[in-house]
Amino acid sequence: MRVNQEVKAALEKGEAVVALESTIISHGMPYPRNVETALLVEKTVRENGAVPATMGIIGGEPVIGMSPDEIEEFGKRKGIAKVSKRDLPIVIAAKEWGATTVSATILLAQRAGIEVFVTGGIGGVHRGAEESWDVSRDLYELGSEPVTVVCAGAKAILDIAKTLEVLETQGVTVLSYRSPTFANFYCRESGFPVDRVCQSPEEVASIIKAKRDFPLTGGILVANPCPEKDALPHDYMDKIIADAVKEADRKGIKGKDVTPFLLKRIVELTGGKSLETNIRLVANNAKIGARIAVSYAAMRRGGKDL
Ligand code: PSU
Ligand code: MN
């Protein structure tokens, strides 16, 4: 594993580091907005007091903290594999490039000692999973690794009720950030309850610390709703998502191609509006995630000095 100097130094001093994934760059958004977004997210993490660590596999080597040039390459290079846990050994052995999903990024973060991770929306249980059995690996990595993921809920293309059920089975602590219900990606609220509504980064950090000190294994999910001014209307998005899901079905799109296909199709069907919302919500997660990481790092350092 290659850990960049800045990240290494911050971790040694017990300072806040935020993990970032690369599937959202290579498979979640079109070039060049994907690169602009990844760089904006890193900048937002820094402005809020933490060190960003964008992760991916370069020539078979897991990289913790890419350079801006490497981020650019992940944005435009063709044929970068989408790497979930099962794909990691294949891409490493073949010395290939791989964009890490939430699940693979959680694994790399845990290996590097990074406890807070920011993304847009996690993978989850797909609509129609009773037939397809399509349930993202993300939920199981959240269940087993000690990483807190700050997101805007599960991607809107999913079945949120079933996703929350699997999270509960996996023992994942599900929090919302200043919102009464679980976040609904493009549309703010989902109406589904969470385990605790948190009002501040300190409150979230205290829950992370309690889980680690106990100790309990497994992750925490912080659902941070998209800012009001950037959110898209429910009814409008419901119809577009339903149409995109039907189209994927008709075209026989399966497995790891489903999520990238749907995200791309939704951008087309909304005339680019969903992309703008996606960018704004990731940046907003970066702000809150960095503040949570800073607060948690301070609590841990405080604990050691006592
Ligand atoms: N959230 C986004 N855009 C994305 C993803 C999440 O806003 O591109 C990616 C994440 O990397 C997540 C993956 O882990 O989609 C889930 O894919 P699947 O449904 O195939 O497990
Ligand atoms: Mn899947």
Side-chain angles (χ1 to χ4, degrees):
M1 242 168 46
R2 186 183 99 205
V3 184
N4 90 23
Q5 273 311 322
E6 189 191 10
V7 171
K8 206 181 280 174
L11 288 170
E12 275 163 15
K13 283 187 271 180
E15 288 171 0
V17 178
V18 169
L20 300 161
E21 57 148 320
S22 45
T23 291
I24 191 169
I25 306 174
S26 302
H27 301 280
M29 288 181 191
Y31 181 80
R33 300 307 303 280
N34 54 359
V35 174
E36 286 165 28
T37 305
L39 297 175
L40 169 69
V41 164
E42 287 216 339
K43 181 165 165 270
T44 308
V45 167
R46 287 185 197 285
E47 284 169 357
N48 287 279
V51 173
T54 301
M55 313 214 181
I57 317 289
I58 299 182
E61 184 178 43
V63 172
I64 315 295
M66 289 184 203
S67 67
D69 285 348
E70 287 166 342
I71 288 177
E72 171 81 21
E73 197 60 26
F74 268 81
K76 67 177 175 204
R77 200 180 169 107
K78 297 272 170 267
I80 294 188
K82 177 178 161 188
V83 174
S84 166
K85 182 179 187 179
R86 63 168 184 191
D87 312 296
L88 269 175
I90 300 173
V91 172
I92 291 172
K95 301 199 178 337
E96 289 169 1
W97 284 56
T100 50
T101 62
V102 169
S103 76
T105 307
I106 287 176
L107 286 167
L108 297 185
Q110 186 277 331
R111 227 33 93 76
I114 302 172
E115 295 194 57
V116 178
F117 169 16
V118 164
T119 187
I122 57 162
V125 182
H126 280 260
R127 299 178 186 196
E130 55 276 26
E131 284 294 319
S132 67
W133 287 60
D134 191 347
V135 180
S136 178
R137 177 71 204 167
D138 294 357
L139 304 182
Y140 299 89
E141 235 58 74
L142 267 165
S144 60
E145 303 299 333
V147 175
T148 297
V149 178
V150 181
C151 63
K155 272 166 302 179
I157 55 175
L158 302 167
D159 185 321
I160 295 178
K162 292 191 181 80
T163 299
L164 288 169
E165 286 300 335
V166 174
L167 287 168
E168 187 269 330
T169 307
Q170 290 295 309
V172 178
T173 304
V174 178
L175 310 175
S176 73
Y177 190 79
R178 291 190 184 156
S179 92
T181 70
F182 191 68
N184 190 9
F185 207 63
Y186 304 118
C187 320
R188 278 184 74 76
E189 298 289 331
S190 71
F192 291 100
V194 293
D195 304 323
R196 176 71 62 157
V197 175
C198 291
Q199 300 297 343
S200 66
E202 292 70 32
E203 190 179 357
V204 175
S206 71
I207 294 171
I208 303 173
K209 187 163 183 298
K211 190 156 185 167
R212 300 299 160 243
D213 287 352
F214 192 77
L216 290 170
T217 58
I220 295 175
L221 191 65
V222 182
N224 179 38
C226 172
E228 190 115 47
K229 62 177 182 3
D230 303 309
L232 296 170
H234 260 115
D235 296 350
Y236 168 72
M237 284 315 292
D238 271 356
K239 163 126 188 37
I240 283 180
I241 293 164
D243 288 349
V245 169
K246 259 187 242 148
E247 190 176 332
D249 235 22
R250 222 177 28 245
K251 294 192 162 147
I253 299 189
K254 292 215 160 52
K256 70 200 284 183
D257 298 331
V258 172
T259 295
F261 173 85
L262 291 176
L263 290 173
K264 181 160 177 279
R265 198 64 193 111
I266 291 165
V267 172
E268 289 163 5
L269 292 170
T270 58
K273 273 192 270 184
S274 70
L275 178 60
E276 296 313 312
T277 299
N278 202 347
I279 294 169
R280 296 317 313 162
L281 67 83
V282 184
N284 186 46
N285 293 342
K287 179 173 94 181
I288 303 306
R291 291 180 184 178
I292 291 169
V294 167
S295 174
Y296 177 60
M299 273 180 204
R300 296 235 343 217
R301 288 197 304 270
K304 255 183 231 149
D305 297 342
L306 288 175

